[in-house]
Each structure stands twice: as C-alpha cells, then as structure tokens.
Amino acid sequence: ETGVTQTPRHLVMGMTNKKSLKCEQHLGHNAMYWYKQSAKKPLELMFVYNFKEQTENNSVPSRFSPECPNSSHLFLHLHTLQPEDSALYLCASSSAPGQGWAAFFGQGTRLTVV
Amino acid sequence: KQEVTQIPAALSVPEGENLVLNCSFTDSAIYNLQWFRQDPGKGLTSLLLIQSSQREQTSGRLNASLDKSSGRSTLYIAASQPGDSATYLCALTNMNYGGSQGNLIFGKGTKLSVKP
C-alpha cells in the first residue's frame, strides 16, 4: 500500500462511452500526476497538477480531461476514446522539492477500449 | 532532451545469485533518481531514491548507486529470490526541465526473472 489509491482497477468501455478514473492520496503531497503505460513503451507523463493548478499538459488529446478539485483528489475524465488508448493509467503524487520529490504511485487502472 | 536507457531489457538468473541492473541517462543535470519495482499489471513500488548529491542508497538486499558525471546508476540485488521477479524501472527528475516539479522520466525497465 503506497498511500495512493486508484479506482476502478479495471475498466472496459466503448468508444462512445464517458467514464472517469479517480485517484486519491492522503500523504500530504501537493503535486499529483497522471501517467500512461502502454505495452513496450516507457511510462509517459500526461498531466501534472501542483497545488490544484494544472502546470503541465504533455500534448494529450482533448478526449482526456483531467480535474483536480483539491490537493488530495485527481480525476481523469474519458470520452470518445480510441482502441489505441487502451493502457494502464497510473496516478502518482510527490512531495515538495525540499523533501526530495519522492514519487508514490497507485496500483493503476487497466483501461480497455472496445 | 533527457533520455533514460535500461540494459538489459530482460534478465533471468538462478535463485541466490547477486545481480546488477543498469540505468544510463544523457543529461547529468538531475535532481534525483528513483528505482521502482512493478509487478505484472500492477502499479509502481518505490524501492530507493538517490538525491543528486548522494552516491548510493541501501535498503535490505538492495543497493543503488549514482554517478552523475558518467550518467549512470546501478541497482544491485544481493542473494536474489523468486519473489524478486518483476520489472525494475529507473526514473529521474530533470533539473533543467522547464515544467513542474517532480516530473519523472522513465526508462523502459528491466524484466527480471529469478528461477527457483
């Protein structure tokens, strides 16, 4: 248990569906992230939130829409996805720079788009 | 642009053997380097974090070293066990990255299999 919880663990959705991934941390961290892990590719950063403000969008298509209502919660809203969006989506949080920027990851949501 | 490379991509060893996993990076201006473990279909578990000012970190049978000047880090696993079988990922935080704090750049990982 890393202190970062993601739900659901598995999700199958059609290309016309709308769904949301949820991430929650109670580690007192200020920064939260979404990463995408596809087969045979390195983890790719998608979004970064720092103190609830989005500070990074790594050229992610608009069919992925993040939301960070507070420092403890992060959502990834999904709509009209493509089969190539099937992947493991990982949420992470990190401490402030002065505390070493250690990153803690959730267990991930395995997304399958059919 | 920072690039992180992990060699080998896969490694199979008999139980009890000591082994070394390698990670190299192209830009030495880093804040820190982390080693993670990932079991199939699961999230990442942080193993060791080395700050840029440090040379190594140890936790149990694991020892990670960092040589910024040569752009290398190694993860040493002593007396390997079947339970160590997993993918090991190296990730670092750039100092010159213009984005937000804590952005990690990952290698593709080394898939380790320890045979009983």
Side-chain angles (χ1 to χ4, degrees):
Chain A
E1 182 60 48
T2 64
V4 180
T5 304
Q6 289 185 242
T7 55
R9 294 292 307 278
H10 301 273
L11 178 62
V12 179
M13 60 185 289
M15 289 189 285
T16 59
N17 290 159
K18 290 184 179 180
K19 297 287 184 183
S20 296
L21 310 185
K22 179 182 177 182
C23 177
E24 185 173 352
Q25 61 91 6
H26 296 288
L27 299 170
H29 291 166
N30 298 314
M32 296 187 75
Y33 313 80
W34 280 115
Y35 282 87
K36 175 183 179 181
Q37 187 176 35
S38 305
K40 299 183 180 179
K41 294 174 71 174
L43 271 82
E44 301 171 85
L45 177 70
M46 299 177 72
F47 300 104
V48 181
Y49 277 81
N50 190 22
F51 288 96
K52 302 187 299 179
E53 299 296 323
Q54 185 180 134
T55 55
E56 179 70 19
N57 176 337
N58 198 24
S59 302
V60 180
S62 60
R63 56 186 184 270
F64 294 92
S65 175
E67 178 190 0
C68 188
N70 54 61
S71 293
S72 298
H73 294 85
L74 184 65
F75 296 89
L76 187 62
H77 304 299
L78 316 171
H79 63 97
T80 60
L81 294 191
Q82 304 298 311
E84 60 263 30
D85 296 323
S86 298
L88 182 67
Y89 288 85
L90 291 163
C91 171
S93 69
S94 71
S95 50
Q99 297 172 30
W101 295 14
F104 294 84
F105 282 77
Q107 289 296 301
T109 295
R110 171 66 63 184
L111 174 67
T112 303
V113 182
V114 297
Chain B
K1 180 185 174 184
Q2 178 74 270
E3 291 185 4
V4 180
T5 304
Q6 291 188 248
I7 295 174
L11 180 64
S12 182
V13 300
E15 181 178 4
E17 193 163 294
N18 302 326
L19 59 99
V20 175
L21 306 181
N22 297 293
C23 173
S24 61
F25 46 95
T26 54
D27 186 343
S28 62
I30 64 172
Y31 276 112
N32 59 37
L33 185 145
Q34 259 182 288
W35 282 94
F36 293 90
R37 168 187 172 138
Q38 186 175 31
D39 293 289
K42 300 289 183 63
L44 276 65
T45 300
S46 181
L47 298 174
L48 290 164
L49 170 70
I50 311 176
Q51 301 295 343
S52 61
S53 59
Q54 297 174 324
R55 297 285 293 188
E56 65 177 337
Q57 285 286 326
T58 299
S59 176
R61 294 182 293 109
L62 305 179
N63 176 278
S65 68
L66 175 64
D67 184 345
K68 282 200 311 177
S69 60
S70 66
R72 291 183 177 183
S73 175
T74 61
L75 180 66
Y76 174 82
I77 302 178
S80 59
Q81 304 170 357
D84 294 330
S85 298
T87 296
Y88 290 81
L89 295 158
C90 164
L92 53 85
T93 305
N94 259 2
M95 186 173 289
N96 294 327
Y97 180 65
S100 300
Q101 62 184 19
N103 176 30
L104 291 169
I105 301 172
F106 282 85
K108 290 185 178 182
T110 294
K111 186 175 182 179
L112 174 65
S113 177
V114 181
K115 305 294 185 183

